[in-house]
Amino acid sequence: MRKIATLLLSAGLVASATTAIASSPKEDLEKFRAYFEQKFPGLQLDDFGNGAYALDADKRMQWEAMEEFPPYDEFVDKGREIWEKPFKNGKSFADCFGKDPSKVRVRYPHWDAKTKQVVTLEGDINKCLKENGEKPFKWKKGPIAWLSAFFGYEARGQKINVVIPDDPDAIKAYEHGKHFFYAKRGQLNMACADCHVKYPGHFIRGNLLSPALGQVTHFPVYRAKWAKKSKDGDGLGTLHRRYGGCNKQVRARPFKAQSKVYRDLEFFHQYMSNGLTINAPGYRE
Amino acid sequence: MRRSNHRFSGTVGSLLLVAGMVITGQAAAAEDPISAGKKLAFDRKKGNCLACHHIEGGTLMGNIAPPLVAMKHRFPDKAKLREQIWDATKNNPRSIMPPFGKHRILSEKEIDLVTEFIYSL
Amino acid sequence: MMKKTIISVGLALLIAGCSASQPEKPMSLKEQYEAALARTQAAVEKAASMEGEWRDIRWKKSKKRYLPKAIEAAKAGDYEKALKLLSIAEFQAEMGYKQAMAEKNAGPHLYGL
C-alpha cells in the first residue's frame, strides 16, 4: 500500500518537475512578477527596488532620512578614484570596460558563450586587474564593492536587462540558479523562496522580509550592520556577500563569493528583476 | 568481526548517551519543566520560536506563523503537539518551520521541555 | 567520574564479549575513530556534491566545526570526544544529503508560481 503511494507520489513529482523545467525563463519571469504584483497591489514595479522599505511606512521614513545624507557617498567616491587611477602598465579600467562608466552595470551578469559560464561585474573587475598585472581585489567588500557601487551609481535610472540566450548551457545555468533559489537547505530547512517569495511583508524577529522581486537593483548595498562590524564605517558589500549571509543564517554552509553556484543564482535572481530601475548603491539596516 | 564489533560499540555508545541525558535531565528537572521549556523556546540559539510566532511574554516577535495561544484547545493530544515541533514538515512539507527534532536542532529532552511549555499556553 | 566508570565498564564488557566469542582482536578506540572518520568524510563529500552541506560540519568560520574538531581531539589522543563529534558530523552530512535529494524537484511550482 505504502509502496503504491510512494510510486504515485514520485510519479506526481516527476510530472510537476517536468512542467517546472518546461517553463521558459520568460514564462518564469511573467509568473514571478504577477505573483508579487498580486501580493502587493499598491506598489508600482519600481517600488520593489526599495525592498522592505516599500512595505512599511515607519521604516520607510527612517530610511528616507538616511538617504538624505547617504553614508555610502564617500565609498562611491573611492570607487571613482579607483576607476580613474591608471594601472602600473599605463592602462586603466576603461581599457577593459569602455570609456563610459555609466554603460557598465547594465551589461551584467551575462552569459559568456566562449567560456560557457555566467560572467559577473565583480568577476570582470578582477579579470581586468589580473590581465593588467595588478593584484585582484578581495571578493566581498572593500575596493571591489566601491568600484561596483560606482558603476551602479553611474547607471542609476537605467533598467536591469539580463539576457538568457537560447543556448542549452545558458539555460542549464539559469535552471541551476533557479533550483538553488527554491530548494530548502541547511539545518533549519529553508529556501530563499520561503523567506523572500512566501513571506515578504512579514516580520521574522525584528526584520521585515523583502520580496525577491527588486532585490538586486541597489547592489552593492551599504548595510548599517556591516558598517558597525568594520573599522572605518565601510558598510558596502556585494550581492554574493549577502547570499553567503542568507545561507549561513539557515545553517547551510555558504558558498564562496563568485563560485559557480552563486554566479548561477545571480543569473536567475537578477533576471527576475528585469525591467526594474537600477538604484545602486542602496542603504539598508 | 569488525562489523559486529562496531555495531556493539554503537549500542554501548547510545547507552552512554542515554545515561548522560538522564543526568543532565535530572539537573534540568530541578527547574520546573515549563520555565525550562520557555527558556529554550525564547533562546535565539535554541528554539527561537519568537522569530515567527507570537508568544505571551516575548519581545521582538515575528508574525510569520500563528500566535501560540490556547494550545490545549488546538492540541488536546500533547503527543500531536510534540510531533508538530519535532517535524513540522510532516503536516506541511513546505513549512518554513524548522524540523527541530528530525534535524536535531533540539535534543529529545529539550523538545519534551518545549512541548511542556507550549502546552501550558 | 560517573561517565568514566560507565565507559570502562562498557569497554570491559565489549572486550570480554568479543574475546569470549571471537578469536580476533576487538577494534580499538583508535580503529573505531579511523573507521568513523572515513565514513563521515565520505558522507560530507556526498552531501557537498549535492550542494547540501550544512554550516557546522567543517566550514572554517563556524564555531562548531564538528569534523575538524574531531580530528583535533583524536590528535590529542581523546578518541571518545572525537567519536562523539564525528557522530554529529556524520548525522548532519547524511541529513544534508537526504534533504538535497528530497528537494531535487524544488521549483517555483511549489510556491504556486
Side-chain angles (χ1 to χ4, degrees), chain C residues 56-89:
Chain C
D56 294 329
I57 297 177
R58 62 176 173 178
W59 179 50
K60 64 177 190 296
K61 285 190 190 157
S62 157
K63 290 193 187 88
K64 302 202 174 80
R65 290 163 51 245
Y66 298 113
L67 180 54
K69 282 195 179 164
I71 296 171
E72 275 166 37
K75 275 200 185 121
D78 191 346
Y79 290 108
E80 284 159 34
K81 184 175 166 196
L83 278 165
K84 216 184 259 166
L85 292 169
L86 281 182
S87 76
I88 303 175

Side-chain angles (χ1 to χ4, degrees), chain A residues 87-108:
Chain A
F87 301 138
K88 285 190 282 299
N89 65 7
K91 292 194 178 173
S92 76
F93 278 108
D95 290 288
C96 301
F97 289 101
K99 282 209 172 59
D100 184 349
S102 76
K103 299 222 164 82
V104 177
R105 167 66 180 85
V106 279
R107 298 202 301 262
Y108 294 92

Side-chain angles (χ1 to χ4, degrees), chain B residues 55-120:
Chain B
I55 301 177
E56 203 185 315
T59 50
L60 261 191
M61 291 179 277
N63 59 4
I64 282 182
L68 298 179
V69 285
M71 281 328 248
K72 285 195 190 79
H73 190 71
R74 286 277 305 134
F75 291 89
D77 181 359
K78 205 196 272 182
K80 284 260 154 52
L81 174 61
R82 191 183 190 280
E83 263 173 38
Q84 166 71 26
I85 301 171
W86 199 86
D87 182 10
T89 65
K90 224 169 162 187
N91 275 328
N92 168 13
R94 300 315 293 170
S95 180
I96 193 175
M97 176 162 156
F100 289 98
K102 185 179 167 206
H103 281 186
R104 297 194 189 159
I105 300 160
L106 297 174
S107 71
E108 295 297 320
K109 181 75 203 169
E110 286 170 336
I111 290 187
D112 287 342
L113 294 170
V114 170
T115 306
E116 288 302 328
F117 166 60
I118 302 293
Y119 196 62
S120 78

Side-chain angles (χ1 to χ4, degrees), chain B residues 2 5 8 16 94 102, chain C residues 6 14 26-27 31 91 103:
Chain B
R2 287 262 143 132
N5 186 357
F8 184 28
L16 287 175
R94 300 315 293 170
K102 185 179 167 206
Chain C
I6 301 179
L14 188 81
M27 235 174 159
E31 285 168 317
F91 170 79
E103 290 293 299

